[in-house]
Amino acid sequence: GNSVTQMEGPVTLSEEAFLTINCTYTATGYPSLFWYVQYPGEGLQLLLKATKADDKGSNKGFEATYRKETTSFHLEKGSVQVSDSAVYFCALSDPRNSGNTPLVFGKGTRLSVIA
Amino acid sequence: DVKVTQSSRYLVKRTGEKVFLECVQDMDHENMFWYRQDPGLGLRLIYFSYDVKMKEKGDIPEGYSVSREKKERFSLILESASTNQTSMYLCASSLYPAVPDAFFGQGTRLTVV
């Protein structure tokens, strides 16, 4: 099946620093790619997504580009804030024999932003 | 907004008990999922359902079963709880297989003692 590898954390940054969280994937076919965020004590929220090669997903100042040639979907933000402290999960849609496509997640990267 | 509601935020159960985790979504989504979240392992798919009374095993179904009698409700059942099932359980739903964006509940932290 398909799988996702993302950089291990924790990542600690100062406010206004540049953020990159690396994500690479292994897939047959052309999955959709996602970034989810989990704030302390909450469930996961969809942050952004891309459905085909060269698509760029963006939301709340975060961006990620679907790179088929490098099988990557790295998350970036130009200037992080304390409120961005959370766990970030990269995910892809994983086709099953039944035709369904549940999401498969990476292990998560914890980001801490200090003032 | 889609709302996915899990019946309990925290549960403590004894080894050997039968445990029911309930999840309800209010947006008429076709698909529902159960994941467990463990430190260092991320989210792992236990079971999912693509229609009423239909279910499919995920990547770690052992020790679990599910029930979907109504479209909006998806239950995870631990037939005989064990300490290695202590975890955070997350329910999610999505509209169709072709639109796999998943919406998550807040999670149930289950402790088996």
Side-chain angles (χ1 to χ4, degrees):
Chain A
N2 298 346
S3 65
V4 172
T5 302
Q6 61 182 104
M7 63 186 286
E8 292 190 20
V11 174
T12 303
L13 295 173
S14 297
E15 208 165 23
E16 299 183 3
F18 185 87
L19 168 71
T20 301
I21 300 178
N22 290 336
C23 172
T24 56
Y25 66 90
T26 301
T28 53
Y30 303 98
S32 295
L33 300 174
F34 303 80
W35 277 101
Y36 279 78
V37 58
Q38 185 178 34
Y39 298 105
E42 299 185 13
L44 275 69
Q45 302 174 25
L46 178 62
L47 181 60
L48 54 84
K49 70 174 185 179
T51 58
K52 61 184 186 297
D54 300 326
D55 265 4
K56 178 185 282 188
S58 61
N59 187 25
K60 299 182 181 179
F62 291 89
E63 293 183 341
T65 301
Y66 191 148
R67 301 283 188 202
K68 182 168 173 290
E69 62 277 11
T70 55
T71 62
S72 64
F73 192 56
H74 304 322
L75 183 68
E76 296 182 336
K77 186 175 185 183
S79 177
V80 293
Q81 305 300 313
V82 172
S83 57
D84 293 326
S85 298
V87 181
Y88 292 82
F89 292 91
C90 186
L92 56 72
S93 56
D94 185 25
R96 304 292 164 116
N97 291 337
S98 59
N100 291 282
T101 54
L103 296 184
V104 169
F105 289 83
K107 295 182 178 180
T109 302
R110 182 175 299 278
L111 169 67
S112 295
V113 181
I114 53 178
Chain B
D1 279 356
V2 174
K3 192 166 183 185
V4 179
T5 304
Q6 296 182 230
S7 54
S8 304
R9 290 295 303 271
Y10 301 94
L11 275 179
V12 180
K13 297 293 182 181
R14 293 193 181 278
T15 301
E17 276 193 78
K18 190 169 186 176
V19 181
F20 293 85
L21 302 183
E22 307 287 348
C23 176
V24 176
Q25 51 94 2
D26 67 356
M27 283 300 291
D28 204 34
H29 280 180
E30 302 283 335
N31 300 328
M32 296 187 75
F33 310 87
W34 277 106
Y35 290 88
R36 62 178 283 177
Q37 180 180 9
D38 300 288
L41 297 176
L43 276 75
R44 294 178 292 165
L45 180 65
I46 304 172
Y47 264 98
F48 61 104
S49 168
Y50 46 92
D51 201 351
V52 174
K53 297 192 186 295
M54 305 301 286
K55 62 185 179 184
E56 189 167 343
K57 291 181 180 179
D59 300 319
I60 54 161
E62 296 78 19
Y64 303 94
S65 62
V66 290
S67 172
R68 194 165 180 203
E69 297 294 321
K70 293 185 178 181
K71 191 174 187 179
E72 67 272 18
R73 186 180 297 271
F74 191 37
S75 302
L76 180 69
I77 304 158
L78 287 67
E79 296 289 343
S80 177
S82 64
T83 55
N84 63 13
Q85 293 178 309
T86 292
S87 186
M88 171 70 85
Y89 290 88
L90 294 169
C91 176
S93 70
S94 68
L95 185 56
Y96 305 122
V99 183
D101 315 30
F103 295 84
F104 281 82
Q106 287 191 293
T108 297
R109 184 166 294 282
L110 172 66
T111 302
V112 182
V113 297

